[in-house]
Amino acid sequence: MTTRYNLRSRKTKTTGDESSVLQFVEEKKTEEPSPLRPTATDPPTTTKSQQDAAADYKSGTNWVHEGGIEANPYLFVLIVVSPFVSLLLAYATSSNMDSKLLTHPLTEMIPACLADIPSCVTNTLTAGSSVVPTLDGAKFVICFMAVALFLERVLPGKVECGPETATGHVPQYVDNAVAHCFIYTVLFYLGSNLGPCGPGREQLLPQLSLEDLSICDKYTPYNFGIMYSLFPQSLSFLNIFGIVFCVFLMYKGLHFPSTEDNGSSGSLVKDYLWGTELYPRVFGLDLKRFINCRFSMTFWQLAGFSFCYQSYAMHGNKLDWGLFFSALSQYLYLVKFFFWEMGYMRSIDIIVDRAGYEIQWGCLVWVPAVYTFHTRFLVQNPSGLSFGVAFAIFLLSIAGVVLNYAADRERDVFRATNGKCKVWGSDPRFIKAKYTIVDRKTGKETEKTSLLLASGFWGMARHFQYFFELTAAYSWCFLANPLENGVLVMLYAVFLTCLLVDRAKRDTEKCKLKYGKYYEEYCSLVPYKIVPGCW
């Protein structure tokens, strides 16, 4: 019996030339009955409508049948406890946390907890539950999103397209990310106490002061360190908003989908975690791009310098070089991200992962909580690194950022030129892979072609760009001086390692289903996933 993945059962034509037969997905000969079609000897376990619903669901998953994290038991546990963990992380970097316990988790925190487990549990629950939303925190988040939404709507840009899905949908985006990045940064500075309406002694550029003008009498600037001072309250609000928002996304995907790439898995838990829709839009606004990029990445980009200013003011106008260079490197990394945003819109986060709790709550809450942890940590616990040491680690991080961009750019140019370019001075080696999309309404199949690059960075490992991204991530955490501040400052780098390893695995599974034998041929040319010669 032949089992087909990601497609409804349908008649296909075969020819004598096996190599010319389109491999939409791998076909496997098996003696086991298809889960969608019981054998004649088996009692019927599902109705025809249930079978059709399951098949329709698969045809709307864009070649991925399983959600990401719920298929991984360790990450699934993390998902369940993640809202409370995020609140603990916010508490841990606040002034309420005992710095000695935080900077010595192995010698102080864990032994103290093991010595009195009931008190440890009680104190942990009390600490997490003490992080509650406030009106100021909610106002900050709403204003932050409102500015991002305004820029999203008004900034011009060229219309770009994402990859075509299995149902034939081609998402379109206005490419205005770079303008958003710099204009948002300028606006955040102008509205703060460092801007022209701030107190004269605090202004970053006093020669541009507008303090004496009437416009400043009607506006009270916020402190540039607001992202630190309101972080626990803001994160708590985001936690509640994110959970409710994901319920809305689940309902919308089931009842008011924007495209045919939608459907229910039959499990309420899976539908909530993984999502029910791939490209949700409301009034023309692409919700995944807005949350993932325009809110989440912008928050991360500005947080570092906001934390740096808070540290500078808190410690007698003394600059922490570790925090400063970490904030600067991450800012530049995210400038690179916004230059490459259209590449991200063609990545697994967008074209495979649906808009559910895993991605949307993750970008709303987990990114602010975890991705800024190592810099936020340094506000209360300075790195103590000298200028020379911090600058050397900064250069290593920049090398990771630059090479990460170079790898992504290399593939983008290759795709844009349809393979008619040079890669490292030579003609590129690639696999011409065929696949099929199917119209869910008519059942019509259309053959498509993709080019799989196997030269340059992409000939060394299938996800070599992840190695450079991890180089930058570990550098940022090293700038928090784990030798003095303890292993907790390595949280982001360790989490990102687990995330990228899992992502590389899922991408391999997706490509095998999409390209079949062509991807097997590609893997024989490029056998390593992330680290050349190792894995």
Side-chain angles (χ1 to χ4, degrees), residues 362-431:
C363 288
L364 283 167
V365 182
W366 197 249
V367 168
V370 175
Y371 288 39
T372 72
F373 182 81
H374 46 286
T375 46
R376 201 169 70 248
F377 187 101
L378 293 180
V379 176
Q380 297 289 336
N381 309 279
S383 69
L385 296 178
S386 66
F387 173 86
V389 172
F391 185 69
I393 300 175
F394 167 75
L395 291 180
L396 178 62
S397 71
I398 292 301
V401 172
V402 170
L403 291 172
N404 175 261
Y405 176 76
D408 287 327
R409 177 64 178 168
E410 181 178 82
R411 183 173 59 178
D412 288 344
V413 171
F414 170 78
R415 287 173 171 173
T417 60
N418 200 31
K420 296 181 173 68
C421 63
K422 297 292 184 180
V423 175
W424 292 8
S426 303
D427 291 334
R429 182 175 58 169
F430 58 88
I431 300 295

Side-chain angles (χ1 to χ4, degrees), residues 59-63 160-173 252 257-262 277-281 284-288 345-346 350-352 435-441 444 446 448 514:
S59 68
T61 57
N62 207 24
W63 295 289
E160 298 280 359
C161 295
E164 189 172 21
T165 70
T167 63
H169 173 66
V170 179
Q172 294 185 336
Y173 312 95
K252 179 189 178 301
S258 301
T259 74
E260 293 183 356
D261 301 289
N262 71 289
E277 190 174 9
L278 191 60
Y279 290 109
R281 291 187 179 232
L285 176 68
D286 187 284
L287 295 178
K288 285 178 78 174
M345 302 312 293
R346 301 180 180 106
I350 303 299
I351 67 174
V352 169
Y435 63 98
T436 293
I437 64 171
V438 58
D439 188 314
R440 291 174 67 181
K441 293 180 179 179
K444 180 182 178 181
T446 305
K448 299 287 183 178
K514 181 177 181 179

